[in-house]
Amino acid sequence: APYPVLNKGDRPKFGQRTNLYTGSGGVAISSKSGNVEEAVRMLDYGYSPEGHLFFNFGLENISYTMVDGYPTYTDLILRNPDRLAPSQALAMYNRASYFGPFVQDVRYLEQYYVLPEQKEATRIWSDTDADS
C-alpha cells in the first residue's frame, strides 16, 4: 500500500527513509588489538573492487557468476538445494544482508527480492517527495 495522501493522485510528501548513516553497524579496532594492521586491511578490503564483489556477492562461480558484467547469484543462493531461504544461503558466502565496512550494491537487492510483490513494494514506497 502506498503512503497516504490528502488528495487522490498526489505524490506523498513524506515516507520512510533511512539516513545514509544509521548509527549502527559501525566498526572499531581496539587499542588492545594485537593485529591492528591486519584489521585495517580487512576493513579497507570491503571498499576495493574485489572486496565490494566479495562482500556483496560472495565467491565467484559458487555463490555468483558474472553474466555480461553483472554479478548474478547462482541457484545455490536463489534455489538452494537444502531449501535455505536466499538470506540464509547468502549468509554463508557474503555480508550483504549484514552491517559492515562496505557499500551495499544495488544489484544485491535487485536479486535478493525474488518476489514481484517485493520489488513492487520497494518501488511504491520509494515514490515520495521525501529527501533521501
Side-chain angles (χ1 to χ4, degrees), residues 5 7-11:
V5 293
N7 300 304
K8 186 175 182 169
D10 285 353
R11 187 171 182 190

Side-chain angles (χ1 to χ4, degrees), residues 86-109:
S87 61
Q88 293 171 310
L90 281 171
M92 296 170 54
Y93 296 97
N94 72 16
R95 295 192 53 126
S97 60
Y98 300 98
F99 298 116
F102 66 97
V103 177
Q104 192 174 53
D105 195 303
V106 69
R107 297 171 296 183
Y108 152 78
L109 284 177

Side-chain angles (χ1 to χ4, degrees), residues 60-127:
E60 189 170 8
N61 298 320
I62 296 176
S63 56
Y64 80 97
T65 58
M66 291 301 277
V67 178
D68 297 325
Y70 187 96
T72 304
Y73 290 123
T74 62
D75 283 348
L76 179 65
I77 302 302
L78 298 179
R79 287 173 275 294
N80 186 273
D82 295 322
R83 302 178 57 114
L84 296 175
S87 61
Q88 293 171 310
L90 281 171
M92 296 170 54
Y93 296 97
N94 72 16
R95 295 192 53 126
S97 60
Y98 300 98
F99 298 116
F102 66 97
V103 177
Q104 192 174 53
D105 195 303
V106 69
R107 297 171 296 183
Y108 152 78
L109 284 177
E110 289 170 354
Q111 298 172 76
Y112 179 76
Y113 293 147
V114 294
L115 300 176
E117 295 86 355
Q118 291 171 305
K119 294 176 183 183
E120 180 65 4
T122 300
R123 188 197 64 74
I124 289 170
W125 279 44
S126 298
D127 188 19

Side-chain angles (χ1 to χ4, degrees), residues 3-88:
Y3 286 103
V5 293
L6 183 60
N7 300 304
K8 186 175 182 169
D10 285 353
R11 187 171 182 190
K13 301 289 181 203
F14 303 98
Q16 180 179 353
R17 295 286 185 171
T18 302
N19 293 326
L20 292 177
Y21 178 70
T22 60
S24 61
V27 296
I29 301 170
S30 169
S31 63
K32 296 178 182 179
S33 173
N35 302 90
V36 172
E37 184 175 336
E38 291 84 356
V40 170
R41 287 178 191 240
M42 191 281 301
L43 294 172
D44 189 53
Y45 178 69
Y47 297 100
S48 70
E50 297 84 12
H52 179 82
L53 281 173
F54 179 66
F55 280 23
N56 280 280
F57 300 100
L59 299 170
E60 189 170 8
N61 298 320
I62 296 176
S63 56
Y64 80 97
T65 58
M66 291 301 277
V67 178
D68 297 325
Y70 187 96
T72 304
Y73 290 123
T74 62
D75 283 348
L76 179 65
I77 302 302
L78 298 179
R79 287 173 275 294
N80 186 273
D82 295 322
R83 302 178 57 114
L84 296 175
S87 61
Q88 293 171 310

